[in-house]
Amino acid sequence: MHVHCSMKCLTDLEMRSPRTLEVWRLGTVNYLKSLKIQDKLVSERKAHQIPDTLLSLQHPPTYTLGKRRTDHNLLIPQSELTKIGAELHYTQRGGDITFHGPHQAILYPIISLRGIGYGARNYVETLERSMIEFASMYGVKARPGNKCETGVWVGDRKIGAIGVRISSGITSHGLAFNIDPDMKYFEHIVPCGIADKEVTSLKRETDDLLPSEEVVHEQLITCFAKAFSYDDVVWKEDPAVILDTKDNE
């Protein structure tokens, strides 16, 4: 019996080596710049040059379309976008049209799904779970989307969006959680292609006083790391290292 237990424990250890997540808090980053950073990190992750990595950031007002190119879900002419201070970008992620802007917490994981034994569906469900857990910290009961709904919802109001890309088992793009964005921007789109649905924010849904955005982002990162069972989170201290990379090319 004792030998059997020891062998089992050894097997468990071999199957589950400690996992490290490196976190970069980048502040506000232009959308195109964030794509270049992600492309570089995906290449490095594929080559095993870096561990699993998480980018935490915000964007200036930006609308993004997924690879299905559902332009009809943008409700104003593209020529009007500059007047409202927004950009439009086409991406290679899944999902429909999404708005990104100030006071929205964005996480872009660059992680190896093979390394953690996840398939695409399990990965998306875990992203949902991390946002649901985060919302619960503020007494907000969020849920995954129903059939044909993506992201995370509070009742029939969408609070978190998910759009991912997976290339050779390495993820990019990710999730966006509404902390307290300017909701007027959402009036110009059919969010994620789902008509007759509202968009909401943590500020609107909680009775709690929100702490600083830095603290809020940190809490969301912690929920992410917990949901994916990372043993060690390494907070990288100098964002210039990663932000300057493409400027020098």
Side-chain angles (χ1 to χ4, degrees):
M1 180 65 100
H2 177 70
V3 173
H4 175 74
C5 178
S6 297
M7 290 178 68
K8 182 180 183 304
C9 293
L10 182 61
T11 304
D12 288 345
L13 283 170
E14 287 174 343
M15 290 175 63
R16 174 71 170 84
S17 55
R19 293 203 298 264
T20 297
L21 179 69
E22 287 192 351
V23 177
W24 294 90
R25 291 169 287 190
L26 302 181
T28 299
V29 182
N30 173 279
Y31 189 78
L32 289 180
K33 188 177 187 70
S34 79
L35 291 183
K36 291 178 181 178
I37 293 170
Q38 289 179 77
D39 286 346
K40 178 178 184 297
L41 293 176
V42 166
S43 296
E44 291 176 351
R45 188 68 190 93
K46 283 179 184 175
H48 306 286
Q49 295 171 350
I50 60 171
D52 285 351
T53 299
L54 184 66
L55 305 180
S56 172
L57 51 90
Q58 298 184 59
H59 290 308
T62 307
Y63 294 105
T64 66
L65 279 156
K67 53 191 175 185
R68 285 186 289 153
R69 299 291 188 265
T70 50
D71 296 65
H72 58 276
N73 286 324
L74 178 66
L75 304 179
I76 62 171
Q78 290 192 29
S79 57
E80 296 288 308
L81 290 175
T82 51
K83 294 180 182 176
I84 63 171
E87 298 180 353
L88 174 68
H89 294 293
Y90 295 87
T91 77
Q92 291 302 309
R93 62 161 173 79
D96 210 298
I97 193 164
T98 300
F99 171 74
H100 297 309
H103 313 299
Q104 182 189 65
I106 293 172
L107 297 184
Y108 290 149
I110 315 295
I111 65 179
S112 169
L113 293 186
R114 292 170 188 162
I116 60 177
Y118 276 45
R121 182 172 180 177
N122 195 6
Y123 172 60
V124 169
E125 288 173 349
T126 308
L127 290 178
E128 290 172 344
R129 198 163 67 246
S130 65
M131 287 195 280
I132 291 168
E133 177 65 26
F134 170 65
S136 73
M137 294 175 64
Y138 291 92
V140 176
K141 188 171 177 56
R143 62 167 178 85
N146 296 322
K147 192 175 181 182
C148 298
E149 294 176 347
T150 59
V152 169
W153 301 70
V154 181
D156 286 330
R157 302 175 300 282
K158 186 163 190 172
I159 197 168
I162 292 176
V164 303
R165 186 182 186 199
I166 301 169
S167 172
S168 303
I170 308 299
T171 66
S172 58
H173 296 276
L175 66 83
F177 193 95
N178 295 332
I179 307 302
D180 186 22
D182 184 344
M183 305 304 276
K184 288 179 184 176
Y185 284 102
F186 290 98
E187 296 172 5
H188 303 303
I189 62 172
V190 181
C192 297
I194 304 171
D196 303 321
K197 298 286 186 180
E198 290 182 48
V199 176
T200 190
S201 66
L202 186 61
K203 180 76 176 287
R204 286 189 176 189
E205 298 294 337
T206 186
D207 295 326
D208 297 352
L209 187 65
L210 295 181
S212 70
E213 290 206 347
E214 184 178 353
V215 169
V216 169
H217 282 241
E218 223 167 86
Q219 290 170 337
L220 180 58
I221 292 164
T222 300
C223 289
F224 174 92
K226 181 181 176 185
F228 282 92
S229 302
Y230 284 100
D231 304 284
D232 189 24
V233 177
V234 179
W235 301 86
K236 305 299 282 186
E237 293 302 321
D238 185 8
V241 171
I242 203 166
L243 289 170
D244 289 348
T245 304
K246 285 294 175 180
D247 290 342
N248 295 331
E249 291 187 0

